[in-house]
Amino acid sequence: IASAFLLTWAVPAQAQKPPPNPAAPTLKPIAPHGVQRGTSIDLTLTGTNLTEPTALWTEFPAKVVIPIDGNNGKDAAKLLVRLEVPKDAPMGLYGMRLATTRGMSNLRLFCVDDLPQVIQAENNRTRPTAQPVAPPCVVVGKTANESNDYYKFNVAAGQRLSFEVLGRRLGSPIDPQLTLFDAHTGRELKGGHSNDAPGLQTDPRLTYTFKDAGEYLIEIRDVSYKGGDDYFYRLRIGDFP
């Protein structure tokens, strides 16, 4: 055992890793970076060296089809793949890689959820233009520089809702925070704010029981008002633990 230990440390670090393959594919962050189980989804993968694909590897159970029509598979910068996820697929965060005839891509994280997905609207940056959503749902969005995203929803008196952001845990650089507001008074709800929830890296989570029926807003933003294409998130809204 001692000899093996010494031998391992004697090998130069650069000799322990294979050289990078410049012809291998690389994947940019996947959008919408998640799927509701029991549904199908078309994903347009983006990156480099995406031609001549052979398979899409996923850590979760899924039927994967790479269409061959429309010259799909011949564009080095984008590739269409189709996923069909069974209803009994376990929920969670999983890895995904693309294989081509020249190698395997970097790993990107992808979420399997039980909530229906809603895509962020482009004009939800102010309270008056808040995007309406109907819980339970998960909103797929991204923050812009120096901006806030607003979503509005209706609740019954005494209704309980949980709000959770998957951002940093999905590989996004976003440091998100959540704040609840009364849509009519504009006032922040006492106890309706979360920044870094314990055990979630820098992602927030909160549960709130609404005393009065009505319309409310949930605001999500990066704590430093940063944003861009890489600052993506999944905002989960529903009566979950």
Side-chain angles (χ1 to χ4, degrees), residues 62-80:
K63 178 182 177 181
V64 179
V65 175
I66 302 178
I68 59 175
D69 55 322
N71 290 323
N72 191 49
K74 297 183 179 181
D75 189 332
K78 63 181 180 179
L79 174 71
L80 175 66

Side-chain angles (χ1 to χ4, degrees), residues 22-28 45-51 75-78 98 100 102 105-106:
T26 61
L27 289 179
K28 293 182 179 180
L45 305 179
T46 58
T48 61
N49 299 332
L50 305 185
T51 56
D75 189 332
K78 63 181 180 179
L98 177 70
T100 70
R102 294 175 303 280
S105 77
N106 55 315

Side-chain angles (χ1 to χ4, degrees), residues 13 15 20 46 55-56 68 84 89 101 106 109 117 119 153 194 230 237-238:
T46 58
L56 181 71
I68 59 175
E84 183 178 333
T101 56
N106 55 315
L109 292 177
Q117 294 193 147
I119 304 300
F153 55 93
S194 176
D230 290 341
I237 308 174

Side-chain angles (χ1 to χ4, degrees), residues 156-213:
Q159 185 173 351
R160 171 191 179 276
L161 284 177
S162 291
F163 305 83
E164 179 182 10
V165 175
L166 293 171
R168 187 62 61 92
R169 289 172 290 167
L170 267 175
S172 172
I174 189 175
D175 184 1
Q177 69 174 31
L178 292 172
T179 308
L180 285 169
F181 295 91
D182 186 302
H184 297 289
T185 66
R187 294 179 179 176
E188 179 180 339
L189 303 185
K190 184 179 180 180
H193 177 80
S194 176
N195 186 0
D196 299 339
L200 303 186
Q201 298 183 29
T202 61
D203 289 341
R205 174 194 289 156
L206 67 91
T207 297
Y208 197 91
T209 300
F210 296 85
K211 179 181 178 181
D212 300 317

Side-chain angles (χ1 to χ4, degrees), residues 103-233:
M104 183 77 77
S105 77
N106 55 315
L107 184 142
R108 287 294 181 182
L109 292 177
F110 194 78
C111 182
V112 175
D113 209 330
D114 64 342
L115 300 178
Q117 294 193 147
V118 177
I119 304 300
Q120 176 188 19
E122 294 183 358
N123 63 337
N124 70 331
R125 309 298 188 188
T126 65
R127 296 184 190 182
T129 62
Q131 179 179 349
V133 295
C137 66
V138 54
V139 182
V140 179
K142 59 184 177 183
T143 61
N145 280 315
E146 300 182 353
S147 71
N148 310 45
D149 295 344
Y150 292 96
Y151 303 94
K152 62 182 178 181
F153 55 93
N154 288 283
V155 297
Q159 185 173 351
R160 171 191 179 276
L161 284 177
S162 291
F163 305 83
E164 179 182 10
V165 175
L166 293 171
R168 187 62 61 92
R169 289 172 290 167
L170 267 175
S172 172
I174 189 175
D175 184 1
Q177 69 174 31
L178 292 172
T179 308
L180 285 169
F181 295 91
D182 186 302
H184 297 289
T185 66
R187 294 179 179 176
E188 179 180 339
L189 303 185
K190 184 179 180 180
H193 177 80
S194 176
N195 186 0
D196 299 339
L200 303 186
Q201 298 183 29
T202 61
D203 289 341
R205 174 194 289 156
L206 67 91
T207 297
Y208 197 91
T209 300
F210 296 85
K211 179 181 178 181
D212 300 317
E215 187 175 69
Y216 294 87
L217 303 176
I218 183 75
E219 174 200 78
I220 177 173
R221 69 171 177 87
D222 181 85
V223 295
S224 300
Y225 286 100
K226 295 180 180 179
D229 288 340
D230 290 341
Y231 284 72
F232 52 84
Y233 62 83

Side-chain angles (χ1 to χ4, degrees), residues 91 233-234 236:
M91 293 172 54
Y233 62 83
R234 293 175 66 83
R236 305 183 76 244

